[in-house]
Amino acid sequence: MMKKLLFFLLLSSVTLFAQIKQPKVGLVLSGGGAKGFAHIGVLKAIDSAGIQVDYIGGTSMGAIIGGLYAAGYNANQIEKIMLDTDFFKVLKDVNPRRSKAFFDKEYGEKNTLVLPVYEGEIGLPKGVSKGQNVLNYLTYLLSSVDTIRDFSKLPIPFFCIATDVETGAQVKLTKGYLPLALRASSSFPTILTPVEAEGKLLIDGGIANNFPIDEMKKTGADIIIGVDVQGKLFKKEKIKSVLDVLSQITSYQMYQKSPAQIADTDVYIHPDISMYSVVSFDKASQIVEKGKEASLPFLAIFDSISALQIQKKKHLKKNTELSRFLVNEIEVKGGKNYTKTYVLGVLKLRVGDSISYEEMSKKMNYLTSTGSFQRVDFIFEKNATGRKLVITTRESDEKAELRLGVHYDLVYKSALLINYNHKNILLKNDVLSVDLIIGDKPRYNLNYFIDNGFYYSFGFSSRYNRFGAGISFNEEGINELDLNYVDFTNSIHIQTTFDRKFAFGIGLEHKKIVAKTNTISTGSEDPFFFDKSDYINGISYLKLDTYDHKYFPKKGVQIDANFRWYLWSSNYNKNFVQFSQISGKIGVVKTVFENFTMEYISEAGFTLGMVGAKYFDFHLGGYNQNLINTFVSFYGYDIGALSEQSFVKSTFYFRYQVFRNQYVSFLGNYARVKESVLKNGVLFDDTKSGYALGYSVNTLIGPIELKHSWSPDTKNHYWYFNLGFWF
């Protein structure tokens, strides 16, 4: 009965309007996070009816969808965009691994929690994400209206609502840079950081005015269609997380306004999406369907409104295939510590390049992955012969970070990582990274690097590492000994990098090695020392890393080759002679059938020269990924069980993704460990083998893995377990 009455009243009013003038239709879309996908279902019904929308206003997700519609996208195109977008990645500022600096690939990617350090004090981040990927994506999507600064000049006049952090007052955004306005309107507290715009610090508009019907009335719209995806305040028993508490607090004001706003709406549509939350981005298609269902009772009204719009502008069909254009001028604004040369060097961009908005938005990952900028805006301004690229940077005031991680394995046992990372500590392009590892085997890593990219870069590193393990020892009637191994290494090096993938360096190293055991008797309480010497070494290395993920890669190539020349020793055992070692590995990863990944890793190590000390042998065995010096993992054998002066090894790794971030795996590794594996040209004689079957889960704290390993050579079986990132 109410629907029929509403239809009669509306039809009477629009008939009256039609006698005077063509009615202007205003559309208001509320905020609601992922629940805002329901707006698309209503827009599809509006498009099908042929309604011309004359004004659009929105908040948060309603602003984003409304802004795209106002810029010329139709409902079907918006639906495709939303369904094809991985919002979890976009919101978390997850950039492709290839965009990371080589230093971050090598020494980062092992922390669970990152806390900013301001002037020596540990703080909390303003949000989970800086929202740079959101801004980049919106800039690409809205490139067809990149020159419009007055939102009333868009194909459909538009406004959106944000909230002033200082006062809590609403800010109606009608002018400026449209992608930035949408980013500000959707800055949900704690998830996205606030946006500085128009002299104000802005956050999600839903806090001040989530359903801006009152602002739409000011446009003079004759008929207001309101789509409301707001829920209701939670009952106390439903508040179970910090996100629920925050959502409740930010909703008080919006729900106080709701009755008045609903009363001022001519067509009020409220989809039933109570079973979804503001972060139900993985349920996008179902939520769109809820919007379609909510539109069904209003289809006749939509047809009536459309029939009264005699003169209609054709809704633009937005072309998502954007053309490339010539960049004939580049301007970089806002730089203090980072120059134009640095910015363009990171972006790999120069005057004369041909580029599209989509390519530029992807290139921005290289700049934002440095962590040196709070926000970076870009725009292409048209000129006579091409485009002028204008990049505006807002450098981050967070020069230092405290990063935390946890780990457990059967060799190093439990460990807590405290990493201090500081940029520009002495020079503009430098970075200091210090790992303090607290646990059963305390250790540290320090790396200081002056990054000049392709030009010569300089670095200093220091490491203290210790572990204990049972090592096979087939001499003097001892099958296994309890080895305690300590390594203290300091080095200086010169390095050049190319395209964030490749690094080559040479340097000089001091290394102190202490290897001892209590298994061998010395006739006293003192342990037996295999070595307790200092060494001076020349070093060089070559590295290539294009893996798309450090722990569960799906594609890419990885090379890690090292050469170490032992030049001098304090010679604890009085038997030192100069020698050198070369070692390395090559990995290739390929994924087929979407979820099935194959990885092949080839490793080798050779000792050049006569070495009498067994502790310089290559020791194969175990599963650890954080072993040092000449220790190499080999499934099916215990750590250090296979030892000699050279080895070759191949690993075939098969991994299948059964669920999101969950994998089953099988691997086989094969090795030949001899004094000289190349002697007489025989490569496969006396080959050792081992196998492993495991289950892995990629979590916030890193991989959690359980594997069962065995070798047909020895009939031995082992269970391996590790928790967290390797460090």
Side-chain angles (χ1 to χ4, degrees), residues 561-579:
N562 299 274
F563 176 78
R564 179 169 281 103
W565 184 5
Y566 288 80
L567 299 169
W568 174 88
S569 172
S570 61
N571 203 4
Y572 174 78
N573 290 308
K574 310 301 181 183
N575 62 351
F576 175 78
V577 293
Q578 286 191 10
F579 70 98

Side-chain angles (χ1 to χ4, degrees), residues 18-255:
Q19 294 172 356
I20 303 172
K21 62 177 181 178
Q22 178 168 304
K24 297 289 186 181
V25 176
L27 175 64
V28 177
L29 307 178
S30 80
K35 294 188 288 186
F37 292 141
H39 294 315
I40 299 171
V42 178
L43 283 177
K44 289 169 73 74
I46 288 174
D47 280 354
S48 295
I51 293 176
Q52 173 181 292
V53 176
D54 299 288
Y55 310 99
I56 299 180
T59 298
S60 197
M61 182 60 83
I64 291 176
I65 292 175
L68 292 173
Y69 196 74
Y73 286 95
N74 61 39
N76 288 330
Q77 290 173 321
I78 296 173
E79 180 181 30
K80 186 177 188 310
I81 290 170
M82 296 299 165
L83 295 182
D84 291 347
T85 301
D86 187 337
F87 280 89
F88 291 107
K89 281 188 176 181
V90 173
L91 286 172
K92 291 191 294 184
D93 274 347
V94 176
N95 293 321
R97 190 169 183 263
R98 65 176 179 271
S99 68
K100 293 183 178 180
F102 201 92
F103 184 89
D104 292 329
K105 290 180 183 179
E106 192 163 13
Y107 300 112
E109 303 181 310
K110 54 191 176 186
N111 53 274
T112 302
L113 179 65
V114 180
L115 301 173
V117 178
Y118 299 99
E119 298 179 351
E121 295 185 3
I122 301 173
L124 293 174
K126 296 176 183 176
V128 173
S129 166
K130 292 181 180 179
Q132 183 66 52
N133 280 359
V134 176
L135 182 60
N136 293 346
Y137 194 41
L138 290 172
T139 300
Y140 154 59
L141 292 174
L142 297 167
S143 56
S144 63
V145 293
D146 60 353
T147 60
I148 298 176
R149 293 294 177 269
D150 183 346
F151 301 164
S152 67
K153 305 300 183 184
L154 290 168
I156 302 175
F158 173 77
F159 70 84
C160 63
I161 303 297
T163 302
D164 187 333
V165 173
E166 289 185 290
T167 65
Q170 81 164 26
V171 178
K172 183 179 179 181
L173 300 173
T174 59
K175 294 183 179 181
Y177 188 44
L178 182 58
L180 189 61
L182 302 185
R183 162 71 177 84
S185 180
S186 57
S187 300
F188 190 82
T190 73
I191 294 180
L192 295 177
T193 58
V195 171
E196 188 175 339
E198 299 195 7
K200 298 181 176 67
L201 193 62
L202 305 178
I203 56 174
D204 196 294
I207 296 171
N209 192 350
N210 199 49
F211 193 38
I213 299 294
D214 51 343
E215 295 299 331
M216 181 58 74
K217 288 182 66 178
K218 296 176 184 178
T219 66
D222 301 306
I223 301 172
I224 298 178
I225 301 173
V227 186
D228 182 7
V229 296
Q230 298 174 141
K232 297 179 179 179
L233 290 173
F234 295 127
K235 298 295 184 182
K236 61 183 180 182
E237 58 271 12
K238 295 292 185 179
I239 301 176
K240 298 180 179 179
S241 70
V242 66
L243 192 62
D244 293 338
V245 173
L246 185 61
S247 178
Q248 187 85 340
I249 293 171
T250 57
S251 299
Y252 295 147
Q253 187 172 347
M254 78 171 65
Y255 292 128

Side-chain angles (χ1 to χ4, degrees), residues 367-384:
L367 200 58
T368 56
S369 290
T370 65
S372 303
F373 302 93
Q374 179 63 31
R375 194 180 86 217
V376 183
D377 308 333
F378 73 92
I379 188 170
F380 292 99
E381 297 178 351
K382 294 180 181 178
N383 54 32

